[in-house]
Amino acid sequence: MKFYLTALFLFALQQLPMQAQQQKTIELKTIEHKVKFAAYDGMIIAGYVDKGAFLNFTGPNINWSYNSSKIMLGMLPSLRIKEDNKTPKNSTITPSLGVGLTYCYKKIAFQLPMYYNTKTAASDGKWNIGIGLGIRLKS
């Protein structure tokens, strides 16, 4: 009887590492990550940059997806909203193209955009960094 119990115990010990390996492979299969190019990602983001607001829609980008998260680097077609107090006045709402880094988790998007203000007679041209928060419409 001792022989059978010892044999059964050794057989059970032998099976434990095999079951652990099978569980690890199952866990690894659920993790997905992809790097791809997208022309449009279906996001609307509002934020602040250079003493004004912006509303942008993510444009062409390179993105990396990992489960429910996505990181994107791309162009940002935008509407910049900034009141001009100088004369002659610029329009309050102007179209602009920015570039930036966007992080999405499920339907929430966080963005660090950069916009360029061109050189004028009064100031040099420079890049302005902003911050934005938005929603992802496309899953």
Side-chain angles (χ1 to χ4, degrees):
M1 184 73 167
K2 275 187 175 180
F3 175 74
Y4 290 115
L5 288 176
T6 307
L8 184 61
F9 180 73
L10 290 174
F11 180 75
L13 282 178
Q14 201 175 26
Q15 294 300 315
L16 285 176
M18 294 174 83
Q19 289 176 350
Q21 285 177 345
Q22 288 173 349
Q23 286 177 349
K24 286 180 184 177
T25 57
I26 291 170
E27 290 173 12
L28 291 176
K29 288 181 184 176
T30 60
I31 297 172
E32 293 182 26
H33 56 81
K34 302 176 194 172
V35 174
K36 66 179 189 174
F37 172 81
Y40 178 72
D41 248 320
M43 288 185 217
I44 299 174
I45 298 174
Y48 175 82
V49 67
D50 189 32
K51 299 176 187 171
F54 68 83
L55 179 66
N56 76 35
F57 314 92
T58 54
N61 63 70
I62 296 172
N63 60 60
W64 179 69
S65 299
Y66 181 79
N67 286 344
S68 297
S69 296
K70 184 181 254 190
I71 297 174
M72 303 181 326
L73 176 64
M75 293 188 285
L76 308 169
S78 309
L79 293 174
R80 290 182 66 184
I81 305 160
K82 183 177 178 183
E83 190 170 351
D84 191 4
N85 296 326
K86 300 175 185 170
T87 53
K89 284 188 171 195
N90 283 325
S91 176
T92 303
I93 300 174
T94 56
S96 183
L97 181 64
V99 65
L101 189 65
T102 307
Y103 172 75
C104 301
Y105 180 74
K106 295 185 180 178
K107 296 286 184 183
I108 305 279
F110 174 75
Q111 189 176 73
L112 293 172
M114 294 189 330
Y115 295 97
Y116 186 74
N117 285 350
T118 57
K119 179 181 169 185
T120 63
S123 64
D124 291 336
K126 67 176 183 172
W127 284 94
N128 295 297
I129 299 174
I131 189 165
L133 188 65
I135 188 165
R136 183 176 176 194
L137 303 173
K138 196 169 129 180
S139 57

